[in-house]
Amino acid sequence: MLGMVGLFPDYAMIIVGANMGISKMTKEHLGISLALRLPFFVVLTKIDMTPPEVTQNTLKTLHKLLTVSSVNRKPLMVNDEANIKTIANALISDRICPIFQVSSVDNTGVNELTKFIYELQTRNSVNDMIGSIDDPA
């Protein structure tokens, strides 16, 4: 919790194991991100070792979780690098939640995720809640 509030992060990356599904900890991290009004995105890992039907079940559960009224995010699967800059810029709107499917074994999705993180802007430049360093405390 200290890392989430003490260092004033710009974004939250929520990691979900495709083989484990949506855990209680995943829901807690999502809740913390929402409470702190942090834009977040989801990385679905271990897609190389998980049977396709289990991965699809995890994605289905994730979609349900993201679309409930208290979360209210449109799940957006990121499968190629074509629109990554647009998606990174739209993340600040708090209307979408990009989902990346990643395997560190066969490198699936790693390039897309890396490019996405590179394209994210610091919230200092886009968030009115953050004052300048010269503003009085």
Side-chain angles (χ1 to χ4, degrees), residues 49-78:
M49 64 176 273
T50 308
E53 60 275 1
V54 175
T55 301
Q56 289 305 316
N57 190 32
T58 300
L59 284 169
K60 185 177 176 182
T61 306
L62 182 60
H63 281 249
K64 284 182 185 176
L65 180 63
L66 292 172
T67 56
V68 297
S69 61
S70 57
V71 179
N72 196 24
R73 300 290 192 283
K74 180 182 177 186
L76 185 61
M77 298 300 298
V78 181

Side-chain angles (χ1 to χ4, degrees), residues 15 44 51 59 118:
I15 309 296
L44 192 67
L59 284 169
Y118 176 78

